Amino acid sequence: MVEERITDGRRIAELLASELDGRSDGILESVRVTNADRDVEPTVEGERAYDVTFSDERIARVFVHDDRARLEFEAGQDVAAETADECDLRVRPKATEPPRTLVFIEHGAGVKRGTDVVQAVCRSVQTDSSDSSE
């Protein structure tokens, strides 16, 4: 049996949203998909589909392209870059103020790895919050 490889950006973003919002185990129980644009259409440049929040803080935005989805991390940029690289996802910095880290999910099978990046960033944010409250 041959399975079709999912390379539609909108479908990849939907799979990622289901993975993030639908799980209630570990650190992902505090992750939510928020501000979703249900009518978003993929573009070459990427259109914002939804935000990813952790404990009511936006940590990333998800954009849909014709052939991929893109996570744009606002929190935990270094952790996102390192984890994405370890997961064999394409990653690059975005020179904005404040800076962002872009992680590209280019097929449906990459969704689990994208979820791993989100989990690593959440752990980083959680650790940073614990350290600052002491």
Side-chain angles (χ1 to χ4, degrees), residues 11 18 35 54 56 71 74 86 93 112 126 131:
R11 183 68 184 128
S18 293
N35 300 319
F54 173 66
D56 298 325
L71 281 152
E74 301 171 15
E86 290 169 359
K112 294 283 188 189
Q126 189 174 50
D131 290 346

Side-chain angles (χ1 to χ4, degrees), residues 32-107:
R32 299 287 175 262
V33 170
T34 57
N35 300 319
D37 180 352
R38 300 201 186 284
D39 298 322
V40 69
E41 290 297 326
T43 64
V44 172
E45 299 82 25
E47 290 295 320
R48 191 196 68 77
Y50 55 84
D51 299 336
V52 178
T53 59
F54 173 66
S55 299
D56 298 325
E57 175 188 346
R58 185 174 67 203
I59 60 169
R61 290 181 167 183
V62 175
F63 293 80
V64 292
H65 298 258
D66 294 329
D67 59 351
R68 66 186 177 272
R70 177 182 91 224
L71 281 152
E72 188 170 298
F73 285 93
E74 301 171 15
Q77 294 95 351
D78 292 339
V79 171
E82 183 179 319
T83 306
D85 189 52
E86 290 169 359
C87 291
D88 293 324
L89 293 173
R90 192 162 58 97
V91 62
R92 73 174 176 84
K94 183 175 181 182
T96 58
E97 194 53 49
R100 308 270 194 255
T101 296
L102 307 181
V103 175
F104 299 91
I105 302 175
E106 297 174 328
H107 48 81

Side-chain angles (χ1 to χ4, degrees), residues 16 71 73 89 103 105 110-119:
L16 180 63
L71 281 152
F73 285 93
L89 293 173
V103 175
I105 302 175
V111 167
K112 294 283 188 189
R113 290 180 274 163
T115 302
D116 291 344
V117 176
V118 171
Q119 288 181 83

